[in-house]
Amino acid sequence: MSKNAPPRWDRKMQQRLARGEAAALGELYDRFASLVHSQAHRMLDDETAADLVTREVFGYVWENPNAYDPKQGSMRSWVARLTHRQSVRRLREEDGLPGGKDEGTGAADRSDLEERVRRATAAARADYIVASMPAPLRAALELAYIQRRDYRQTAADLGVTEDEARRRLRLGLQLLSTAHTRPLEGSSPPGYGRPL
């Protein structure tokens, strides 16, 4: 199999969705609902809005399974991109940009909104990176930064050498540092797929 070929599960899932298999949507939901909801909640900071975005994303996937292009990345990446786009759209509507509730759309308002979108995007990307990084790296970061263990304690808790603990922490932090410098994982070139 070629390095760029999508995983078999992604291809089969797309085919099942295209055939209209409701069980496929249920399986997709079981696999990615927590990713979609947590990403939307992180961006919108609103449980009800995150629930709505989750429904909208899976509704879009159900109605447009052929919008997924396996050559552009995994099904997980596609679902994450859809979530990001829909969350940004909601943020813009909330802040009164076209189609929103308020009429205050001055340059300062747009600038504030774009800054919120950038921060929310970086936070969502950081969440996605942590969720998708290899378990040994994630475990080291959780011990060091959530449980406040130093690298020696982290090494002891993980049952690895101190050098290995430092390596895992360094790699995990390097991955997280990309949250501010790169777009959401798998973000697409302009025109990829149809927008939500």
Side-chain angles (χ1 to χ4, degrees):
M1 177 161 50
S2 135
K3 183 179 178 184
N4 294 331
R8 181 177 300 179
W9 185 89
D10 291 352
R11 289 191 312 268
K12 289 197 178 295
M13 176 56 66
Q14 181 185 27
Q15 292 165 355
R16 291 174 61 203
L17 289 167
R19 286 192 302 262
E21 288 184 32
L25 182 63
E27 186 179 329
L28 188 79
Y29 184 88
D30 290 345
R31 184 174 269 201
F32 297 130
S34 63
L35 166 75
V36 171
H37 191 273
S38 66
Q39 182 180 342
H41 190 270
R42 175 71 129 177
M43 292 186 73
L44 300 169
D45 196 27
D46 180 338
E47 186 74 24
T48 303
D51 289 343
L52 186 56
V53 166
T54 301
R55 285 192 302 271
E56 290 168 346
V57 165
F58 285 100
Y60 179 82
V61 169
W62 177 248
E63 293 172 6
N64 303 283
N66 291 323
Y68 168 62
D69 182 356
K71 294 175 187 167
Q72 298 292 326
S74 70
M75 180 78 68
R76 178 185 177 95
S77 295
W78 180 59
V79 169
R81 282 191 305 275
L82 294 174
T83 304
H84 182 258
R85 287 181 194 148
Q86 191 60 18
S87 297
V88 168
R89 181 173 287 131
R90 285 218 168 271
L91 276 174
R92 287 186 172 136
E93 287 173 358
E94 286 174 12
D95 279 12
L97 291 180
K101 296 181 254 185
D102 302 323
E103 294 301 318
T105 59
D109 292 337
R110 277 190 282 271
S111 176
D112 288 345
L113 171 63
E114 292 307 316
E115 181 56 31
R116 280 183 58 205
V117 168
R118 278 191 292 280
R119 281 194 313 266
T121 299
R125 178 159 170 70
D127 284 347
Y128 179 80
I129 289 169
V130 170
S132 62
M133 72 175 42
L137 299 183
R138 187 172 50 249
L141 286 175
E142 288 173 355
L143 286 169
Y145 293 97
I146 295 174
Q147 297 182 25
R148 302 282 192 205
R149 305 265 202 292
D150 66 23
Y151 76 93
R152 288 182 181 101
Q153 294 167 323
T154 298
D157 288 352
L158 294 174
V160 298
T161 66
E162 290 178 6
D163 285 341
E164 177 62 15
R166 281 193 299 262
R167 186 188 70 77
R168 290 179 185 183
L169 290 169
R170 186 172 45 253
L171 275 170
L173 290 174
Q174 286 172 342
L175 286 171
L176 278 174
S177 73
T178 66
H180 292 285
T181 58
R182 292 182 7 204
L184 190 63
E185 195 267 79
S187 55
S188 59
Y192 169 61
R194 293 180 297 191
L196 276 172

